[in-house]
Every structure is written in structure tokens, then in C-alpha cells.
Amino acid sequence: YFEDFKIDLRTGESNLTQMYLMEGIDFIRRQTDAKQPFFLYWAADATHAPVYASKSFLGKSQRGRYGDAVMELDYSVGQILSLLQGLGIEKNTFVFFTSDNGAALISSPHEGGSNGPFLCGKQTTFEGGMREPAIAWWPGHIKDGTVSLQPASVMDLFTTSLALAGISPPDDRTLDGMDLTAVLLNGSHKLHNRPIFFYRGNEMMAVRLGQYKAHYWTWSNSWEEFQH
């Protein structure tokens, strides 16, 4: 169903983000009414080219269609958080906001974002391609305004979620994810000195440890250079 949504390439109008929002809100309401726990993975893609926004947000930002899409994304996340508070379950719901990659510079300037001071963007293993914003929200458990410099990976969310649910991770395999509960809940400023590996497919491109990052191969290099 969601593969058949329409994007007006001339105007940039599409209601897909609103459709996702309504589905997410309906799901949370159903689970809450049934007094059942839930896991919601809410992933809007409006900032991917071709970028789009619903009619209420088109032309409202100072950053063109990309800004409009970000405004609608911001609004939608706000609606979800407001719903959790309205249902009175915000103190029993852990929320984590992040992205799977940095902004796609290949779509700039009209349909791509900015990675600020970080080099390159999506499809690369430079910081601009792999380093994303991350916000954890859990009223009553995570102190407002706390900032951590702990290097982390999206894979850590698996292990962290199990810890929050009181479930032991499987011990019959090696897990890449680290339990971040001490950092999130206790405001621990003691950093785990763990390496972060950067892959494209099965090829390790770079590794970061602390403030240092070694690049073994960059996406700007040719396959011929890599093979030699």
C-alpha cells in the first residue's frame, strides 16, 4: 500500500508522512487501550529525494522543500510525544530519535541537507556520512539537558532495549551492540573506550577509537586502487 503513494514531482506534495503519523498514532492507541506493551519503529523518509511534504507544510520553511519536509518530520515527532503524554504513559516509554545516515550531499542544494563541519555525506564512511544526531527521551528517567560524548552505534539499541526490558541478550552469538543504560539513565560521563568500525558491505573502510579515526579505504578511491 505504501509503495503506491503519489508524489507530485512538480509541486513536491505528498501525504505519506501524515499517513505514517496516523498509522503510528493508531498503533499506540490500540496497544495502550489493550494495556499491552509495544515497540514502534517509526521511520519517515520525506527527506530522501525526491523530497516532499503535505500541503500544510509546503512553502512554510526558509529552506525550500527539504526544509518543509524537516518541519513536517519535527511536527510528527512532536505529535507522537504529545500522545504519549496525553495517554499518561510517557514515564513508561523509552523514545530514541536518530537517523541511519548523514545528509545526502548528492541531492544538494535543493533536495539535500547539511552535515555541518563533518566531511562528506551519505554513502561514505566519513563522519558526514555516518555520524548522526541522537536524542534519548524518557521523562522521570533521563535527566533533561544531559549530553554524553559516548561513541555509540545504532546496533547498541538492540542490547540497550533488552536491558531496559529486563531480558538477557542471547549468549550463543557475538553481539556488536553495547548496553548504553548506564550512560542514558545514570548520566555516566565515563566513556567506554570502544572502537567503532565503518563498513561498506563486507569491506571495512575505517575504524574510530576515541578522537582518532583511521581510514583504510575511502569511497573516493577507485576499485583498482583498492585491489592493489
Side-chain angles (χ1 to χ4, degrees), residues 25-179:
I25 285 177
D26 287 346
F27 171 72
I28 293 173
R29 288 190 183 278
R30 289 198 307 271
Q31 294 300 106
T32 304
D33 290 343
K35 294 182 170 51
Q36 292 294 317
F38 62 86
F39 172 81
L40 172 64
Y41 173 63
W42 195 82
D45 71 340
T47 53
H48 287 72
V51 296
Y52 56 86
S54 63
K55 190 173 183 178
S56 298
F57 292 90
L58 275 178
K60 296 297 170 52
S61 78
Q62 298 181 26
R63 183 61 172 76
R65 293 181 188 174
Y66 187 87
D68 299 343
V70 172
M71 284 184 68
E72 187 165 19
L73 175 63
D74 177 69
Y75 165 83
S76 300
V77 172
Q79 290 294 297
I80 293 173
L81 297 182
S82 295
L83 175 65
L84 297 176
Q85 293 170 316
L87 294 173
I89 59 174
E90 75 278 9
K91 293 185 178 180
N92 197 33
T93 308
F94 173 67
V95 178
F96 198 90
F97 176 90
T98 189
S99 178
D100 55 349
N101 51 254
L105 301 185
I106 193 172
S107 304
S108 295
H110 302 297
E111 295 193 309
S114 168
N115 294 308
F118 303 123
L119 184 64
C120 290
K122 180 181 177 180
Q123 297 184 342
T124 76
T125 55
F126 289 108
E127 294 295 280
M130 306 292 283
R131 187 169 177 174
E132 303 89 23
I135 303 172
W137 184 86
W138 194 3
H141 298 269
I142 298 177
K143 185 179 179 181
D144 291 352
T146 303
V147 177
S148 173
L149 300 179
Q150 171 65 51
S153 164
V154 172
M155 290 183 288
D156 296 332
L157 293 179
F158 173 71
T159 314
T160 302
S161 297
L162 291 180
L164 293 175
I167 301 173
S168 298
D171 58 6
D172 60 345
R173 72 206 68 183
T174 300
L175 298 179
D176 292 310
M178 183 179 75
D179 180 6

Side-chain angles (χ1 to χ4, degrees), residues 118 127 131 149-151 191 193-194 207-214:
F118 303 123
E127 294 295 280
R131 187 169 177 174
L149 300 179
Q150 171 65 51
L191 301 183
N193 194 23
R194 54 94 69 96
V207 60
R208 177 177 167 177
L209 184 62
Q211 295 299 309
Y212 300 96
K213 186 175 180 182

Side-chain angles (χ1 to χ4, degrees), residues 202-223:
N202 293 324
E203 301 294 342
M204 190 173 75
M205 309 283 281
V207 60
R208 177 177 167 177
L209 184 62
Q211 295 299 309
Y212 300 96
K213 186 175 180 182
H215 286 274
Y216 300 108
W217 184 50
T218 65
W219 190 236
S220 58
N221 298 140
S222 66
W223 281 105

